[in-house]
Amino acid sequence: MRRNRRISAVAVLTLAALTTGTGAGFAATAGPSAAPVVAPVAAPVATHAFDTAPAAAAAPARTFQGALPAPTGPYAASEDVIHLTDTSRLDPWVPSSGPRQLAVTMVYPAVPGTGTPAPYMSLGEATGIVQRQNLPASSGITPQTIAGVTTHAFDGARPQPGKYPLVVLSPAYEDPRVTLTALATDLASHGYVVALVGDTYEDSGETLANGQTTPCAICGDPSRIDSIPTNRARDVSFLIDQLTHGNTAWRLAHLIDKHEIGMAGHSIGGAAASAAMVADPRVRAGVNMDGAFKPVPTPGQINRPFLMLGTPDNHPAGGGDTTWGQAWDALGGYKKWLTVAGADHFSFSDLDLLHEQAGFPAPPLSPARGVEITREYVTAFFDRTLKGIDGPLLDGPSPDNPEVVFQR
């Protein structure tokens, strides 16, 4: 099958992601010296982190060299990009394009020292970011520098023998799948196969099997938001079907333990994780990272493990986003509700880290620390629920992680 470069990190270099995970508002900054601003809830149009004010046009040219942290597990992380077509349904956003097509990055445990370094995305996808955001050359953000972000993942590395749980990852609205790369590579290094699902027509560009890169058809359209999780749940069920019935969809499908499947998502991707669990009992554990539940599950729909990991501003117990309290009451299995002091909406993805490396302000929580906490707690959750490894991290507050508050 044809190997495509990884999908673009639009949100890291645009921050056109939702501050609440629901589509109600967008994060924005005017330039490297500006403080973050949040658009009013009623405003449907985003301004983006790398939009430049007139004063910035005369600033000296910047350079951008992005790098994600290395995985922390005993294995290397390798990847393949696969292309799938669901002939049973038309694309929900652009029906005239024909059957639903997906680009999926499979990240798997690999033998260290094999393979070649993988890029963050393709030049075509990176070009889509630059064109959509009208990024000036003086910003240092070019297709080449975006594609050249260091991932610590490898193309074509030799897989570790054995079978591993499958974890599906779903990004935020308008954010391509690579925005969860740091989490994906770390999970793979700890013995998981990870599927990063690209959401065609939901971001600045997905390079499909024919080599064409799709534009965003629904960006900035709040009327589409409520239907995103249900559509993504259909994508996930189709993906699981393809990955658990032989090796035709992916050459290394034999690595997957089809009885141990979980899903995690950021922002509206977290809502998609919940929706996928309602729709498909094969998804045995789920994680919502700072996203509102759309729709909120009802009692009896999810009696399997679920982790809610968010910001204290958006998701304190008894306040903030009311869907978390409603979901908590409905969830019937093992469950945890954690918030991370000092975090913002992008702390749970690659976005804050690369944003900082590009010269923009960081939240109170160090972006590197945000990635570290996300990796530790998501991995601990799946270790417990998919592998049966009962480590102490989820039992209560830890002196090593004072930022993490156990709300419930």
Side-chain angles (χ1 to χ4, degrees), residues 4-289:
N4 272 315
R5 296 295 204 179
R6 296 184 59 105
I7 191 148
S8 61
V10 62
V12 76
L13 303 176
T14 65
L15 291 190
L18 309 176
T19 59
T20 65
T22 66
F26 300 91
T29 59
S33 61
V37 225
V38 177
V41 167
V45 179
T47 54
H48 301 289
F50 287 84
D51 290 346
T52 54
R62 301 179 57 83
T63 58
F64 170 66
Q65 294 181 320
L68 303 179
T72 62
Y75 305 134
S78 188
E79 65 176 48
D80 286 331
V81 174
I82 62 175
H83 298 94
L84 304 175
T85 300
D86 185 353
T87 57
S88 71
R89 63 189 179 113
L90 296 176
D91 187 275
W93 311 124
V94 185
S96 61
S97 68
R100 178 68 164 167
Q101 297 184 68
L102 297 174
V104 182
T105 302
M106 303 299 303
V107 190
Y108 59 91
V111 176
T114 62
T116 57
Y120 202 39
M121 74 210 76
S122 72
L123 282 176
E125 292 158 347
T127 299
I129 296 173
V130 173
Q131 291 177 344
R132 182 167 180 257
Q133 303 309 323
N134 194 27
L135 299 175
S138 61
S139 69
I141 312 300
T142 67
Q144 289 76 20
T145 58
I146 298 172
V149 168
T150 299
T151 67
H152 299 283
F154 295 88
D155 282 332
R158 190 163 70 250
Q160 293 282 350
K163 285 189 175 293
Y164 305 94
L166 171 67
V167 174
V168 180
L169 295 183
S170 184
Y173 175 50
E174 299 192 11
D175 296 353
R177 65 184 186 265
V178 293
T179 58
L180 297 176
T181 294
L183 176 58
T185 56
D186 202 57
L187 282 166
S189 78
H190 286 277
Y192 292 88
V193 172
V194 182
L196 282 163
V197 184
D199 302 299
T200 312
Y201 296 113
E202 291 185 35
D203 57 61
S204 63
E206 298 277 353
T207 301
L208 301 179
N210 61 5
Q212 296 181 347
T213 301
T214 61
C216 188
I218 66 169
C219 290
D221 183 354
S223 69
R224 304 292 192 107
I225 290 172
D226 287 353
S227 58
I228 290 174
T230 301
N231 280 306
R232 291 193 186 183
R234 294 190 183 108
D235 289 341
V236 170
S237 288
F238 168 69
L239 171 67
I240 293 172
D241 288 342
Q242 296 296 299
L243 291 177
T244 57
H245 292 84
N247 291 3
T248 57
W250 181 43
R251 64 187 180 90
L252 298 177
H254 62 274
L255 296 176
I256 296 172
D257 181 349
K258 64 182 180 181
H259 302 294
E260 302 293 346
I261 299 173
M263 181 173 176
H266 174 227
S267 191
I268 209 162
S274 170
M277 291 188 74
V278 171
D280 196 328
R282 294 175 295 180
V283 184
R284 298 190 56 228
V287 181
N288 183 341
M289 298 182 289

Side-chain angles (χ1 to χ4, degrees), residues 314-354:
N314 289 339
H315 303 298
D321 172 19
T322 59
T323 69
W324 274 41
Q326 296 166 11
W328 178 265
D329 293 339
L331 293 170
Y334 171 82
K335 55 187 177 180
K336 293 291 179 180
W337 179 339
L338 311 181
T339 57
V340 183
D344 71 4
H345 187 60
F346 310 108
S347 296
F348 307 98
S349 66
D350 302 346
L351 310 188
D352 274 344
L353 183 63
L354 295 182

Side-chain angles (χ1 to χ4, degrees), residues 309-310 312 338-343 364-366 369-370 372-374 376-377 393 396-407:
L309 179 66
L338 311 181
T339 57
V340 183
L365 180 71
S366 159
R369 183 71 176 133
E372 181 180 20
I373 289 172
T374 301
E376 286 186 5
Y377 281 84
L393 194 63
S398 165
D400 294 331
N401 298 293
E403 307 95 335
V404 179
V405 178
F406 282 67
Q407 298 283 347

